[in-house]
Amino acid sequence: MLSAPLAVAILAIAFLYWIGRVIVNYLQYERTRKELGCPQLPSYPSRDWVLGTDYVRAMVRALKENRFLEFQKETYFARRSKVWKANFLGNRMIYSSEPDNMKAMSTSHKDCFAVEPIRIANGAITPFTGRGPYFERAAFSNLGRLEGHVERLISKIPTDGSTVDMQPLFQRWFLDTSTDFLFGETVNCLDHPERDWPSKDMVRIMAGLRLRLQLSSFLFLHRDKEWFAACKRVHGFLEGYIDKAYQQLGEEQNTEKPALDVNGEPRSDFLWTIARHVPNKLELRTQLTGVWIPSNETTSILMSNTLFALARHPEVVAKLRKEVLEYGDKPLTFEGLRSLNYMRYVVNESHRVYPVSLQTVRACVKDTALPTGGGKDGKQPIFCAKGDIVHCNRYLMHRDPDLWGSDAEEFRPERWEKARPMWNFVPFGGGPRICPAHVMVDTECSYTIFKILQRFKAIEARDDEPYTAVMRVGPSSKNGCRVAFVPA
C-alpha cells in the first residue's frame, strides 16, 4: 500500500501534468486560431472553467422544465451573437445559427467534420443501433402502401364534433406504417392499441439516446437499467421478423418458390430486400434500427404539429382544402402530391415554426475555419479545433428575423410563394449526410393531410395551450394535439 506522502506526491505530479496539458492545448489553440485569422468567440460565462457544470445544470434545468427551445433563444441572445462557445463537461462546444456555417460544414468543409466520433466511436448509440442504410426512391414513392393505414386512421376520428387528441393516434399510425414498410406486415395497433408497446419503448430509447449523446466523455455515468431493458425488448421485437425472413430465405432456396407476404404476394418489403444481402443477424438488425431511428416519430410529430397549426388558422385550412378538392378524383400519386404547391407551403411552414429536429451536430476532426459569425460585425471566420463539437442550430435559423422577416415567429404558409430557401431552411440537414428519411416523412404527412381534408371541411382547436416542446432526441408537443373535426 502506498504511504500517504507518496500518494500525495503522485496526485501532485498528476495535477501538474494536467495543468501543463491545459496550458499547452490553450497555447496551441490560440496559435492556430490566429494563423487562420479568426477572432475570439463570445463564451458562456461559466464559473466552472474545468467542466462547465453551471452551463450543464442550466441546460438540464431547461430540459426538466420543458423550456429547452426558450433556453436556446436565451443563450444566443445573451451572447449577442449568432456564434458562441461553451464548456460542456470539459468539451468545447461551438454553437452557430448562421446558414453559411451550416452549408460549409455539410459541403465544402465536410471532410473536417464527422458524426461517428459522437455517435458510434464513443459508444453513445451502439447499444441500440449503428450506421443506417440508404433509402431507395421506391421506399417513399409508392403511396399505395399508405392507403389502408390512412383509412383506419380516419375511421378513428370522431364525426360528432367531439375532441380527439391526434398525437397518440399518429404515433400508433406510424408504428403500423413503419412495420408494414419494414417487414411487409403491420402490427395494426390503430385497431389494437395494446400492441403499441414498441412505440412506448422507442420513446424511452430516444430520450436515453439524447442523454447519452450529451454526456460525451462522461458516457460511463449512464446506467439506466430501464433504458437498456427497452433496447433489449425492441431488439427482440425486430429479431422475430429477422428470424422469419431468414427462415423464408432458406425455404425459398430449397423449394425454388418465392416467399409470400401476409397478403399472398411475393415479398418485397425492406427487410426482405436487404436480408438477401446481409447474412449476419446483428448487422441486419443494425440496418433496421438505422431506418427506424431517422424516421421514428418524425412523421407522427410533423403530422401532429401541422394539424396543431391548421387548427389555429382556419383560413389556411380553407385554402388548403380548396387545393385538395381541385385535385379531383385523380389517383393520388407521388408526382401528383408534389404538384400541390400550397400543401408544400403548409408542410414547409410547419417544419419552420414547429421543428421535428433542432440541430445538426458534428465533431471537428481537423483544424479548420467556418466562414462567418466571428468578430464584432459577425462577418469574420470562426475557428474550429480538432475535437470541438459544432452545433448548427436549425431551430433558430428558421426563426431568424434577418432571414425570414419581422413575422418569423408566425405560421404563414404564404411566405413560401416568394421564399427561395437555400441553406436558411434545412429541416433535415443538408449535403451528403442529409436525413435519409426526409422525403418519406414529408410525403407521408402530405398524403395523410390530403386524405383528412377530403373528408372534413374544418379543424377546430380544443385547447388554448401554446406549443410546448418536450425533448427526446427531437422535440414533440407536451400537450398533444387536441382538436375537433367538422365533416364535409
Side-chain angles (χ1 to χ4, degrees):
M1 180 177 291
L2 295 176
S3 64
L6 181 57
V8 171
I10 291 173
L11 288 174
I13 292 171
F15 179 73
L16 290 173
Y17 173 77
W18 178 76
I19 289 290
R21 286 288 303 273
V22 169
I23 293 172
V24 169
N25 289 341
Y26 173 78
L27 293 175
Q28 184 178 355
Y29 176 89
E30 285 298 301
R31 183 174 65 252
T32 308
R33 177 184 67 79
K34 291 174 182 177
E35 287 173 355
L36 293 174
C38 301
Q40 280 277 16
L41 289 176
S43 298
Y44 187 89
S46 181
R47 295 188 183 92
D48 176 6
W49 60 274
V50 178
L51 294 176
T53 52
D54 41 356
Y55 175 56
V56 176
R57 286 196 300 270
M59 183 181 291
V60 170
R61 186 164 55 250
L63 287 167
K64 288 183 176 178
E65 295 173 353
N66 295 318
R67 44 182 313 279
F68 189 70
L69 299 186
E70 291 76 9
F71 177 76
Q72 300 290 308
K73 293 180 184 178
E74 292 164 2
T75 50
Y76 274 76
F77 180 79
R79 309 288 83 74
R80 300 187 181 278
S81 174
K82 295 182 182 180
V83 182
W84 52 284
K85 63 181 179 178
N87 179 358
F88 188 96
L89 296 177
N91 298 286
R92 184 166 44 243
M93 304 288 178
I94 297 178
Y95 298 93
S96 168
S97 62
E98 288 282 5
D100 286 345
N101 290 339
M102 175 75 185
K103 177 182 178 181
M105 191 173 74
S106 303
T107 56
S108 60
H109 292 51
K110 68 180 186 300
D111 293 338
C112 298
F113 298 93
V115 70
E116 284 78 8
I118 53 176
R119 292 187 184 178
I120 298 172
N122 66 351
I125 69 171
T126 50
F128 183 69
T129 189
R131 293 178 177 87
Y134 173 74
F135 271 65
E136 296 286 349
R137 175 185 165 121
F140 51 78
S141 60
N142 176 18
L143 299 186
R145 67 184 178 84
L146 298 175
E147 187 172 359
H149 301 296
V150 173
E151 288 300 316
R152 276 196 297 276
L153 173 70
I154 292 175
S155 73
K156 309 301 178 188
I157 297 177
T159 57
D160 60 357
S162 57
T163 300
V164 58
D165 186 355
M166 292 299 294
Q167 185 164 278
L169 283 179
F170 284 143
Q171 289 168 338
R172 283 156 52 196
W173 176 90
F174 169 77
L175 184 60
D176 286 354
T177 58
S178 62
T179 50
D180 191 7
F181 165 66
L182 291 174
F183 314 126
E185 55 184 288
T186 176
V187 298
N188 191 16
C189 62
L190 272 173
D191 289 335
H192 302 278
E194 72 279 2
R195 299 177 184 175
D196 75 341
W197 65 265
S199 288
K200 294 176 180 176
D201 273 347
M202 282 301 297
V203 168
R204 177 180 289 276
I205 289 169
M206 299 298 275
L209 285 175
R210 179 178 184 83
L211 176 59
R212 290 173 65 84
L213 289 168
Q214 288 180 318
L215 283 172
S216 188
S217 53
F218 285 79
L219 184 60
F220 65 89
L221 295 175
H222 186 249
R223 291 291 184 267
D224 185 348
K225 292 181 180 179
E226 279 301 313
W227 185 82
F228 285 99
C231 290
K232 185 176 181 179
R233 286 191 295 270
V234 172
H235 284 165
F237 174 73
L238 298 176
E239 287 169 1
Y241 291 101
I242 292 172
D243 291 341
K244 180 179 178 180
Y246 281 148
Q247 179 184 349
Q248 287 187 309
L249 275 173
E251 293 172 353
E252 185 179 77
Q253 292 169 356
N254 293 332
T255 63
E256 297 184 353
K257 294 180 180 179
L260 305 179
D261 61 20
V262 293
N263 298 315
E265 299 291 332
R267 285 193 66 169
S268 60
D269 52 273
F270 182 86
L271 170 59
W272 184 251
T273 301
I274 61 174
R276 292 177 176 276
H277 309 289
V278 183
N280 182 278
K281 184 175 181 178
L282 178 59
E283 175 60 24
L284 186 52
R285 192 187 74 193
T286 299
Q287 292 277 316
L288 292 176
T289 55
V291 173
W292 217 355
I293 281 190
S295 58
N296 180 70
E297 279 212 302
T298 304
T299 302
S300 61
I301 291 171
L302 175 60
M303 291 161 61
S304 183
N305 290 346
T306 303
L307 214 58
F308 177 92
L310 290 174
R312 285 153 176 78
H313 295 85
E315 74 286 355
V316 174
V317 174
K319 189 171 180 179
L320 182 57
R321 186 165 190 271
K322 181 174 182 291
E323 182 178 64
V324 167
L325 296 180
E326 287 175 350
Y327 186 85
D329 297 327
K330 301 188 297 290
L332 185 55
T333 63
F334 176 75
E335 291 73 17
L337 201 56
R338 298 283 287 179
S339 72
L340 301 174
N341 289 330
Y342 197 64
M343 178 71 77
R344 187 169 67 255
Y345 299 164
V346 168
V347 173
N348 280 354
E349 190 71 347
S350 178
H351 274 304
R352 192 188 67 79
V353 179
Y354 305 108
V356 295
S357 176
L358 295 185
Q359 304 181 97
T360 294
V361 184
R362 299 286 183 267
C364 183
V365 295
K366 183 167 58 177
D367 289 350
T368 190
L370 291 176
T372 192
K376 293 181 179 180
D377 61 356
K379 304 298 182 183
Q380 306 304 308
I382 64 168
F383 177 46
C384 300
K386 181 179 178 180
D388 289 354
I389 309 298
V390 182
H391 302 244
C392 286
N393 194 306
R394 303 196 296 268
Y395 168 66
L396 295 181
M397 196 187 305
H398 292 169
R399 286 175 170 242
D400 189 341
D402 294 340
L403 301 173
W404 299 96
S406 59
D407 64 348
E409 298 277 336
E410 298 177 16
F411 181 86
R412 188 173 66 82
E414 284 70 20
R415 76 176 73 248
W416 292 92
E417 294 173 356
K418 297 181 179 179
R420 296 294 179 266
M422 296 294 288
W423 286 91
N424 58 331
F425 181 68
V426 280
F428 296 98
R433 292 204 64 101
I434 190 171
C435 173
H438 68 288
V439 178
M440 178 184 288
V441 170
D442 282 0
T443 300
E444 292 182 347
C445 176
S446 299
Y447 182 90
T448 306
I449 297 299
F450 182 99
K451 291 294 185 178
I452 288 175
L453 290 182
Q454 279 186 321
R455 309 284 184 87
F456 299 95
K457 63 182 180 181
I459 307 169
E460 300 173 355
R462 286 297 171 89
D463 69 57
D464 298 324
E465 299 288 340
Y467 176 82
T468 302
V470 57
M471 297 300 300
R472 296 198 257 275
V473 165
S476 61
S477 174
K478 174 189 174 184
N479 302 310
C481 180
R482 297 194 293 274
V483 296
F485 294 84
V486 180

